[in-house]
Amino acid sequence: MSRVPGWLGRLGAGLTEMGERLDERRAEVEREHAPEPPDPSDTPLPPPQPAAEAVVPPARRPVPAPAAGHRPDPAEAVPWGVRVAAEAGWRVLVLAGTVWVLIQVISAVQLVVFAFVIALLVTALLQPTVARLTRRGVPRGPATALTAISGFVVIGLMGWFVTWQVMENIDTLSSQIQSGIDDLRNWLLKSPFHVTDKQINQIAKNLREAIGANTDQITSAGLEGVQVIVDFLTGLLLVFFSTLFLLYDGRRIWEWFLKLVPAAARPGVAGAGPRAWRTLTAYVRGTVLVALIDATFIGIGIYFLNVPMAVPLAVFIFLFSFIPLVGAVASGALAVIVALVTQGVFTAVMTLVVVLAVQQIEGHVLQPFILGRAVRVHPLAVVLAVAAGGMVAGIGGAVVAVPLVAVTNTVVGYLRQYSEELQRQKAAADESVARNAEDPAHQG
């Protein structure tokens, strides 16, 4: 009885081995007659469709779906919108890094960059005069020298006149300012604002203490003024010589610049350059004319209001008009303050009325009529450009910000039209080739 279980175990093992052999034989027969081998996984796949049999050869069939627990490709697991945002994001970061590096380079050589930009603006103003003299038979060299020297002499005379007027009237202006401050104090005491003498004395005391506490900073600023003067003279020389070369040899400088542009983009840049220059010329000439009209009419108004130094104030208004928005406000505020401390509240109010009236005429009549649509920039773009230029490079950045935006707008618009025209020409050429290929008369 003890040997019976062992015998039964051996019999069961033999039957199991025989069944496995029969299963292997059956599987071999099925593989020989089946169109494709069965799926070795536990869950059999559905039979393949006939269309797939006809299109995909057996040797190139797709890999079966991964078994449970297999991790997919991470790139395929990321949603499409996130992948697009990531692709756009790193490109924006690259562009931002490029702009940041460019700003750092410009900041390192800020004096040279601003000198060249101002030379471009002066050249845009003086170039029509050189062209007019050249058409009348004057050689280009003397015409360039005569125009450049005359332009800088006029600018120098304006600066000298303003300085001379201020120095001549400084004593009278000081007494008038002191008298105006006393009149303003008396007016505040009698005004409905309920300002007391104690409050006015406290304000004066605070001002004196602020000046005394910042004596070191004021002294340091005075010492730094020497470096400012040196930088100003250096920049002035760079502007003068750059203007001379741009007036005399501007075309060849542009042709040399085009050689640096890649050949594929050269036709578009060559077409955008003259249009950008026409926009810059129109902007500079229009701005000078508008600033001259503003300074003339405001100067006449404050002259008849007996505001001291009316002519120097008019010159300041002319110069400050080259800074869009901010310059007009600053120069008008300066005229109103001088009128307030020298002639009283009524004259200051009338000065403010004159300034606002002229600026309204400038904004709604002169600029649209003189500048025209060629250099029209949206007011929001002007505000943002002036703010960004002032934050990056101070007053100089605010001056060059708007012409830079106007020129950029012109260049981008032309390049977009040029690209669309190339696409239309390519589409027309492809259509012509397809039509010729389908026409029997052109075959063979």
Side-chain angles (χ1 to χ4, degrees):
M1 296 295 295
S2 61
R3 302 174 68 111
V4 172
W7 175 80
L8 289 175
R10 287 193 297 272
L11 178 61
L15 292 174
T16 302
E17 183 179 0
M18 185 181 298
E20 291 177 352
R21 291 180 180 179
L22 288 175
D23 291 337
E24 291 176 358
R25 180 57 181 170
R26 188 182 301 111
E28 291 177 359
V29 173
E30 289 178 354
R31 283 196 296 268
E32 290 175 358
H33 296 283
E36 62 176 314
D39 193 348
S41 62
D42 295 336
T43 304
L45 293 176
Q49 299 295 329
E53 285 288 334
V55 176
V56 183
R60 295 186 179 179
R61 289 194 175 277
V63 179
H70 178 71
R71 294 184 179 180
D73 186 4
E76 296 178 357
V78 178
W80 173 256
V82 177
R83 294 170 65 182
V84 172
E87 291 286 337
W90 72 260
R91 287 176 171 84
V92 171
L93 289 177
V94 170
L95 291 176
T98 304
V99 172
W100 183 83
V101 171
L102 182 62
I103 292 176
Q104 297 301 314
V105 173
I106 292 176
S107 300
V109 290
Q110 184 175 358
L111 180 62
V112 177
V113 173
F114 275 119
F116 183 74
V117 172
I118 294 175
L120 280 176
L121 299 177
V122 176
T123 303
L125 179 64
L126 300 180
Q127 192 270 337
T129 304
V130 176
R132 192 177 299 112
L133 291 176
T134 304
R135 286 195 298 269
R136 293 186 178 181
V138 180
R140 190 166 187 84
T144 300
L146 180 62
T147 304
I149 292 174
S150 300
F152 282 96
V153 165
V154 170
I155 295 174
L157 287 175
M158 290 175 57
W160 170 80
F161 177 77
V162 171
T163 305
W164 172 63
Q165 284 290 306
V166 172
M167 297 302 296
E168 284 289 324
N169 295 276
I170 190 67
D171 296 333
T172 305
L173 184 62
S174 298
S175 60
Q176 288 179 339
I177 289 175
Q178 184 63 41
S179 176
I181 291 175
D182 294 337
D183 294 339
L184 180 61
R185 177 175 182 171
N186 295 330
W187 180 83
L188 289 174
L189 291 174
K190 298 177 182 179
S191 68
F193 298 110
H194 304 289
V195 180
T196 63
D197 192 24
K198 182 179 180 181
Q199 291 174 334
I200 296 176
N201 292 332
Q202 184 63 35
I203 293 174
K205 180 180 178 181
N206 293 336
L207 289 175
R208 286 194 298 270
E209 290 178 353
I211 295 175
N214 294 281
T215 303
D216 295 337
Q217 287 81 353
I218 296 174
T219 305
S220 176
L223 295 176
E224 291 176 357
V226 178
Q227 182 64 34
V228 171
I229 294 175
V230 173
D231 292 341
F232 174 77
L233 294 177
T234 304
L236 187 62
L237 289 176
L238 288 174
V239 170
F240 180 75
F241 285 108
S242 298
T243 303
L244 279 178
F245 284 110
L246 288 173
L247 286 173
Y248 180 74
D249 218 8
R251 183 176 297 275
R252 285 200 294 179
I253 293 174
W254 171 246
E255 292 174 352
W256 171 82
F257 173 76
L258 284 178
K259 294 179 181 179
L260 303 178
V261 179
R266 194 172 299 164
V269 176
R275 289 167 176 79
W277 182 251
R278 285 196 293 269
T279 299
L280 183 63
T281 302
Y283 174 84
V284 174
R285 297 177 68 180
T287 302
V288 169
L289 184 57
V290 170
L292 183 62
I293 294 174
D294 282 355
T296 301
F297 283 97
I298 294 178
I300 292 173
I302 61 179
Y303 175 79
F304 283 106
L305 289 173
N306 293 324
V307 178
M309 297 192 304
V311 177
L313 286 175
V315 175
F316 273 115
I317 292 171
F318 173 77
L319 296 177
F320 274 72
S321 296
F322 287 93
I323 307 176
L325 301 179
V326 180
V329 174
S331 59
L334 178 63
V336 172
I337 291 174
V338 173
L340 177 64
V341 298
T342 57
Q343 300 296 323
V345 178
F346 176 77
T347 304
V349 172
M350 296 305 299
T351 303
L352 180 62
V353 170
V354 171
V355 171
L356 292 178
V358 173
Q359 289 180 356
Q360 289 298 314
I361 295 173
E362 170 206 337
H364 295 87
V365 179
L366 296 179
Q367 284 192 353
F369 179 74
I370 295 176
L371 295 180
R373 299 184 61 88
V375 293
R376 183 171 296 176
V377 181
H378 195 276
L380 178 60
V382 173
V383 172
L384 295 178
V386 172
M391 292 174 63
V392 173
I395 296 178
V399 171
V400 304
V402 176
L404 179 61
V405 170
V407 170
T408 303
N409 183 38
T410 300
V411 171
V412 171
Y414 171 78
L415 292 179
R416 182 175 60 250
Q417 295 177 358
Y418 179 78
S419 178
E420 293 174 354
E421 183 64 25
L422 286 182
Q423 292 179 358
R424 284 194 295 267
Q425 293 178 0
K426 185 177 182 301
D430 294 342
E431 184 179 356
S432 177
V433 171
R435 191 184 304 113
N436 293 335
E438 294 176 358
D439 190 357
H442 294 82
Q443 294 180 358

